[in-house]
């Protein structure tokens, strides 16, 4: 059954929800986006005014061009500032990396919290072009690295020959900050073809079946990035 198309009203609702979320940590976002729209519209009007066209036609072209360019500039700035605000609000929350990894698009499979300790250190798994990427985060770097090493061995047994990368999400030395996590994962290389991913995922099912039900960290899983990802995809 196909998913219903996004209606204009639901799209407006998503934008308002994202705006309200962003305003909590970026109170000036509305003023800045409005200013960018005005400047973009003025630039658009000036650019379109020099095009051929006299009288009413020239005015119509200039006004339409101003509105389109102003709206485009405003949306670009709004998207970047909203994304930055989302990362600011998510950082420090339990399993925040899982929310950021949801920004990965088609061709990636994200499984949050495949490994977990009582101290709420977690490991997320991403399967994509680089192979298997294990992303760890927690309050103790030594515990996180130990948990990553344990998960690495488990995955290596069922996915022999598949490249396995370890990433620690955090602000410490050798760690990847949350806002840079997605880009870091995407730059790990292209070692696996799309046709090979199906086989890898099938092999990982056997490992996941042995785990049973994992206890999730206390508190809500961050989901701020999911709505933004849907807007970027045009859904």
């Amino acid at each position: 059954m196909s998913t219903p198309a996004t209606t204009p009203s639901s799209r407006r609702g998503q934008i308002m929800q994202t705006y309200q979320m962003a305003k909590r940590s970026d109170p000036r976002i509305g003023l800045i986006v409005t200013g960018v729209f005005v400047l973009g519209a003025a630039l658009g009007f000036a650019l379109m005014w020099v095009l051929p066209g006299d009288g009413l036609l020239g005015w119509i072209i200039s006004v339409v061009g101003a509105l389109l360019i102003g709206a485009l500039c405003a949306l670009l700035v709004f998207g970047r500032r909203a994304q930055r605000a989302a990362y600011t609000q998510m950082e420090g929350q339990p399993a925040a990396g899982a929310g950021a990894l949801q920004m990965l698009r088609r061709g990636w499979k994200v499984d949050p919290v495949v490994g977990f300790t009582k101290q709420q250190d977690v490991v997320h798994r991403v399967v994509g072009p680089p192979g298997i990427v294990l992303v760890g985060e927690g309050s103790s770097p030594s515990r996180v690295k130990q948990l990553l090493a344990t998960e690495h061995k488990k995955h290596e047994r069922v996915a022999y020959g598949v490249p396995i990368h370890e990433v620690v999400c955090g602000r410490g030395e050798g760690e990847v900050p949350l806002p840079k996590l997605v880009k870091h994962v995407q730059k790990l290389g292209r070692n696996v073809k799309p046709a090979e991913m199906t086989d890898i995922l099938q092999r990982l099912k056997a490992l996941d079946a042995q785990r049973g039900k994992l206890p999730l960290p206390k508190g809500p899983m961050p989901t701020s990035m999911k709505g933004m990802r849907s807007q970027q995809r045009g859904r």
Side-chain angles (χ1 to χ4, degrees):
M1 184 175 178
S2 59
T3 303
T6 302
T7 63
S9 59
S10 63
R11 175 60 58 85
R12 286 195 296 269
Q14 286 181 354
I15 293 175
M16 286 303 301
Q17 186 179 13
T18 302
Y19 172 77
Q20 292 168 359
M21 176 275 298
K23 193 174 181 179
R24 287 197 290 268
S25 57
D26 188 1
R28 299 176 59 195
I29 187 172
L31 182 63
I32 291 172
V33 170
T34 302
V36 169
F37 172 80
V38 172
L39 290 176
L43 177 61
F45 186 90
L47 289 174
M48 294 300 168
W49 185 253
V50 301
L51 294 177
D54 297 325
L56 181 61
L57 178 61
W59 275 101
I60 292 175
I61 293 175
S62 299
V63 170
V64 172
L67 293 175
L68 290 176
I69 294 176
L72 177 61
C73 293
L75 285 173
L76 288 174
V77 172
F78 172 71
R80 292 195 176 188
R81 295 189 75 93
Q83 187 179 62
R84 189 186 310 164
Y87 281 129
T88 300
Q89 294 178 31
M90 289 166 56
E91 202 159 15
Q93 295 185 30
L101 291 171
Q102 299 298 328
M103 290 293 289
L104 289 166
R105 302 193 177 201
R106 291 182 181 178
W108 300 82
K109 175 70 166 59
V110 179
D111 292 305
V113 195
V114 297
F116 183 79
T117 68
K118 293 180 180 179
Q119 293 81 13
Q120 296 195 38
D121 307 304
V122 295
V123 170
H124 314 297
R125 182 179 66 215
V126 180
V127 180
I132 298 173
V133 185
L134 300 175
V135 179
E137 55 181 330
S139 57
S140 171
S142 59
R143 281 200 313 262
V144 172
K145 290 179 180 178
Q146 185 176 359
L147 181 60
L148 278 170
T150 301
E151 289 299 323
H152 189 127
K153 291 179 181 178
K154 291 180 180 179
H155 284 76
E156 200 170 35
R157 284 197 292 268
V158 298
Y160 179 77
V162 179
I164 301 177
H165 308 267
E166 296 181 17
V167 178
V168 179
C169 180
R171 292 284 181 177
E173 185 178 354
E175 299 176 350
V176 180
L178 185 66
K180 298 181 179 180
L181 180 61
V182 170
K183 287 186 178 180
H184 180 84
V185 171
Q186 291 173 328
K187 291 180 179 179
L188 289 176
R190 304 184 70 86
N191 306 309
V192 173
K193 297 179 181 179
E196 298 173 326
M197 276 191 60
T198 303
D199 177 61
I200 296 173
L201 293 173
Q202 286 296 329
R203 286 193 266 172
L204 292 177
K205 280 185 179 181
L207 175 61
D208 295 339
Q210 298 172 6
R211 298 178 186 275
K213 189 174 181 180
L214 287 171
L216 293 176
K218 295 179 180 178
M221 289 283 286
T223 57
S224 301
M225 307 302 290
K226 292 182 179 180
M228 294 178 59
R229 181 184 63 174
S230 299
Q231 290 179 32
Q232 288 184 358
R233 290 184 178 182
R235 293 178 182 175

